[in-house]
Amino acid sequence: STSPLSRNYTKMVINTELCALSEYRIYPGHGKLMIRRDGKPIWLGSSKAHSLTLQRKKAAKLVWTQAWRRLHKKGITETASKKRTRRTNKVQRAVVGISLDDIKKKASEKASVRSAARDAALKEVKARKAANKAKSGGKGAAPKGNTFQKVPKHMGGKGKRGGTQR
């Protein structure tokens, strides 16, 4: 004969409800069933939950409810670890006017060398302009003085404020 300890016992399944506010389990014989004005039945696990529902409090704003915990990501760290996002790597490519080697060369050269090159280019442009001006003799273009006077715009003023004014 088999002893009573060696028998396989099946767990008893109890039909539980969920509290509409806190989402805690409500066991048989506990809680209240409230019928909303639209006819929907709502289970409330405690007088506290019932009172807060009547006051129309949002479950997500009450720290002890499951809705708040879900909203603030509490208690889910062990179930799913955070996904690592891969950063995109920058790839240098050649531009139409300049090759990749030239780009790298320009990036590696010192700022002083670059500024000296810029100054030289500016001097050359200025020299070219001066040469053009001397060649034309300065008679081609008339002085571009103020040919018209600027009229100030009327910007609304105090009249558009909405109040009654005398």
Side-chain angles (χ1 to χ4, degrees), residues 7-55:
R7 278 193 219 136
N8 289 339
Y9 289 105
T10 56
K11 264 194 173 169
M12 191 172 106
V13 179
I14 301 173
N15 190 22
T16 57
E17 302 289 340
L18 277 183
C19 175
L21 186 86
S22 64
E23 297 174 40
Y24 289 164
R25 272 199 215 94
I26 305 172
Y27 290 95
H30 295 267
K32 285 183 178 179
L33 177 62
M34 186 175 101
I35 311 295
R36 272 201 327 212
R37 288 173 76 185
D38 61 358
K40 189 182 178 193
I42 279 179
W43 279 97
L44 297 163
S46 61
S47 58
K48 178 181 180 178
H50 185 253
S51 169
L52 289 165
T53 306
L54 289 178
Q55 293 171 50

Side-chain angles (χ1 to χ4, degrees), residues 104-153:
K104 284 185 176 172
K105 206 181 295 172
K106 271 208 167 146
S108 62
E109 74 183 15
K110 289 191 175 72
S112 58
V113 176
R114 217 176 295 139
S115 61
R118 192 186 308 116
D119 291 342
L122 279 170
K123 275 183 186 173
E124 197 227 323
V125 168
K126 278 184 182 174
R128 202 182 307 140
K129 272 190 178 174
N132 281 347
K133 202 168 194 179
K135 190 165 57 177
S136 65
K139 63 178 183 245
K144 285 187 184 173
N146 287 353
T147 54
F148 66 94
Q149 233 173 356
K150 202 167 192 182
V151 180
K153 287 183 186 170

